[in-house]
Amino acid sequence: MILQKISEKLLKNILYWILILLALIPGIYTSVTIYPFVTIKTILFRVVVGIMSIFYVALVLKNSNYLPKKSKLLLSFFVFLVTCILSGLISLDKAQSFWSSPERVMGSYSMIFFFLFVFIISSVFKTKKEWNSIFSWWNWGIAGSSLLSFIVFVANNLIASRNIFDTRFQGFTGNPIYFAAILLVFFFINLYLFFEKVSQNAKIKQLLPYIAIAILYIVFILMSGTRGALVALGITGFILLTSLIANKSKELEDIFKINFQKAALWTLIVIVSFAIAIFALKDTRLIKSNYILFRLTNINAKDNASFSRIVVSKIALDCFQEKPLTGWGFDNFEICFQQHFDQETSEMLPIEKRFDKTHNMPFEIMATNGLLGIIAFLGIYFFAYKYIRDAITNDKIYFYSGLSIILAILVYFIQNLFVFDVFEGLLAICLVFGFSAA
């Protein structure tokens, strides 16, 4: 009876504004819990997605057209979720697999909500106009939260009489690696919005906010001192600039009144020259006296962090070879690591002796979820890319807008070769998956 009184439009608007409000969750923090940057965000996300599920069911009962169409991306995500649950059921630590640890909170239970999130938003919001609005709200939310956390960061360092470049900027996540993960994705979402305006022949003043936000994201990523993120940004940035050099953009040239191919070429030359100069000077006092620059210029396999990850990744491969079909159980990598931990491993690992994650997400999925799990995991990324590529080919999306989304997918995947899925980063990429599946 109540459902009959609620219109389809109202239900969809409710889902839209709930999705917009979700953009605030990454910036939430509380000192009440043991893990102030993790627990509250995860709980709120689950509650909000649960509420979205109720309104989504009501919307489907009103109009069955909101049921999802056939999607290989959603199917891959569902199969991956099934491997998470099934591998956990036969694992040594079933509770860990389902609930995860309080520090990570990324077990199968959380994966259920991330799947529902992608399922709902890709089924309800189908038009580019809707997604441009969603991306815009989220972009402003993440940029605003980042800027606010930077103001707090500067104030805290001034109070403590510290140089802001002697401390890694961790933003609103409590961890610089987590912060870089979400900013990488939103750098390219922001770029997508920029190119959407370009495709509509916007004026320069309409593009300035996106340029400012892009600079903000780059500066904050650099200040996070996250080397994996820098590598990911470098690779995807190179792809973007070479594409701008190789493909003439009449829209960009009409707006900026310059030869954009030459501008992109000079930008690439300047960035590469600057990077070479910084690395050439890495042993000088100028670089060593700046913690962020010193950290970013010491990207090699011999430093403690990098070497540890190589050792742990090798253990992950050994784990996969032992249980290639079922895996050791989702989020159960630590059990496998402990069983392979011996005197030789102890001597090889420089500092850290305990690893609950591989710091290489594909390798971890191979070890914990087995063969079907890694196939489904890679399938999510492949079909997310394929759907956007097909949209570009069929002229359903402006080339550089589509390329920006593809690079958002790629940059997250590359940085996950150096780390693992965390709440903020996974939330951002799931938003992109939702767009791609739609």
Side-chain angles (χ1 to χ4, degrees):
M1 188 70 178
I2 297 175
L3 183 59
Q4 293 177 347
K5 294 180 180 180
I6 303 175
S7 68
E8 176 187 323
K9 182 179 180 181
L10 177 59
L11 288 170
K12 187 172 182 178
N13 282 338
I14 290 172
L15 284 168
Y16 171 83
W17 285 110
I18 291 176
L19 178 56
I20 299 305
L21 289 173
L22 262 174
L24 300 175
I25 288 182
I28 294 176
Y29 158 90
T30 176
S31 59
V32 175
T33 58
I34 297 175
Y35 298 101
F37 293 97
V38 177
T39 308
I40 187 65
K41 295 177 185 180
T42 310
I43 292 173
L44 285 175
F45 174 70
R46 292 170 180 173
V47 170
V48 172
V49 172
I51 294 171
M52 288 180 74
S53 300
I54 295 171
F55 283 106
Y56 173 69
V57 171
L59 184 61
V60 169
L61 291 175
K62 279 280 185 180
N63 187 343
S64 61
N65 287 330
Y66 288 104
L67 286 170
K69 308 300 180 186
K70 289 183 179 179
S71 168
K72 292 180 180 178
L73 191 161
L74 289 178
L75 178 61
S76 296
F77 205 146
F78 179 73
V79 173
F80 173 69
L81 176 61
V82 170
T83 66
C84 291
I85 295 171
L86 292 181
S87 66
L89 289 174
I90 59 176
S91 68
L92 291 177
D93 193 340
K94 298 174 179 59
Q96 169 71 21
S97 183
F98 190 72
W99 298 110
S100 187
S101 62
E103 181 184 3
R104 307 293 187 196
V105 203
M106 293 296 287
S108 300
Y109 187 62
S110 288
M111 289 301 112
I112 293 171
F113 287 93
F114 280 110
F115 172 74
L116 287 174
F117 176 68
V118 176
F119 183 92
I120 293 170
I121 64 177
S122 64
S123 302
V124 175
F125 307 107
K126 293 289 187 180
T127 68
K128 192 166 67 169
K129 181 179 179 181
E130 289 172 333
W131 276 101
N132 285 358
S133 176
I134 291 166
F135 278 154
S136 184
W137 278 105
W138 273 71
N139 190 40
W140 281 109
I142 298 301
S145 298
S146 300
L147 188 58
L148 181 61
S149 63
F150 179 70
I151 293 171
V152 174
F153 172 74
V154 172
N156 287 339
N157 277 278
L158 286 174
I159 293 170
S161 300
R162 290 193 303 260
N163 185 333
I164 62 171
F165 297 108
D166 288 338
T167 309
R168 295 174 69 186
F169 180 37
Q170 59 189 19
F172 46 73
T173 66
N175 187 310
I177 297 175
Y178 300 179
F179 187 51
I182 190 171
L183 291 192
L184 284 171
V185 177
F186 271 93
F187 172 78
F188 285 104
I189 288 177
N190 179 71
L191 204 62
Y192 163 84
L193 294 169
F194 171 84
F195 282 120
E196 279 295 284
K197 290 291 184 182
V198 169
S199 69
Q200 298 163 12
N201 296 312
K203 295 180 179 179
I204 292 180
K205 65 179 181 180
Q206 294 175 290
L207 300 175
L208 291 178
Y210 301 103
I211 295 172
I213 291 175
I215 295 171
L216 193 78
Y217 287 155
I218 291 174
V219 170
F220 289 169
I221 290 170
L222 291 173
M223 291 186 66
S224 74
T226 306
R227 291 170 290 190
L230 184 64
V231 170
L233 184 62
I235 293 172
T236 50
F238 178 79
I239 294 172
L240 174 65
L241 287 172
T242 52
S243 180
L244 286 167
I245 293 168
N247 302 291
K248 184 180 178 67
S249 174
K250 185 177 182 300
E251 295 85 357
L252 284 169
E253 294 188 358
D254 287 344
I255 294 172
F256 290 95
K257 308 300 181 185
I258 60 172
N259 186 321
F260 227 83
Q261 288 175 296
K262 288 184 178 179
L265 176 61
W266 278 109
T267 301
L268 182 60
I269 291 172
V270 169
I271 291 174
V272 171
S273 299
F274 181 75
I276 291 173
I278 291 295
F279 275 89
L281 297 171
K282 69 176 185 177
D283 294 324
T284 65
R285 185 179 177 185
L286 174 67
I287 302 300
K288 287 185 175 182
S289 62
N290 187 305
Y291 175 71
I292 298 298
L293 288 178
F294 176 73
R295 179 177 171 79
L296 293 176
T297 53
N298 277 270
I299 302 176
N300 59 74
K302 295 180 181 180
D303 73 90
N304 291 341
S306 300
F307 185 71
S308 297
R309 283 155 174 72
I310 293 172
V311 173
V312 175
S313 293
K314 183 182 180 301
I315 290 176
L317 287 176
D318 292 338
C319 294
F320 172 68
Q321 290 173 357
E322 290 176 10
K323 295 186 178 182
L325 297 179
T326 60
W328 287 74
F330 185 61
D331 208 33
N332 265 217
F333 175 73
E334 186 173 6
I335 294 175
C336 172
F337 174 79
Q338 289 174 352
Q339 291 199 12
H340 286 78
F341 189 84
D342 52 24
Q343 183 64 34
E344 183 181 357
T345 305
S346 178
E347 291 173 357
M348 289 174 67
L349 292 174
I351 299 176
E352 293 181 82
K353 304 297 182 182
R354 171 187 175 268
F355 284 85
D356 63 336
K357 295 287 184 181
T358 63
H359 288 76
N360 183 311
M361 199 60 196
F363 278 26
E364 179 168 332
I365 297 302
M366 287 172 64
T368 59
N369 290 42
L371 185 60
L372 183 58
I374 187 60
I375 291 173
F377 176 81
L378 296 175
I380 298 170
Y381 287 88
F382 172 75
F383 289 114
Y385 151 76
K386 185 178 182 299
Y387 289 156
I388 300 301
R389 185 202 65 185
D390 291 346
I392 295 173
T393 304
N394 297 323
D395 293 325
K396 292 182 179 179
I397 189 172
Y398 178 54
F399 173 79
Y400 283 110
S401 299
L403 178 62
S404 298
I405 296 298
I406 289 174
L407 292 178
I409 298 166
L410 180 60
V411 79
Y412 185 78
F413 184 84
I414 293 173
Q415 71 92 33
N416 252 12
L417 298 177
F418 304 94
V419 66
F420 45 87
D421 279 329
V422 296
F423 174 80
E424 293 85 359
L426 190 56
L427 179 62
I429 198 62
C430 279
L431 187 69
V432 175
F433 290 156
F435 171 76
S436 181

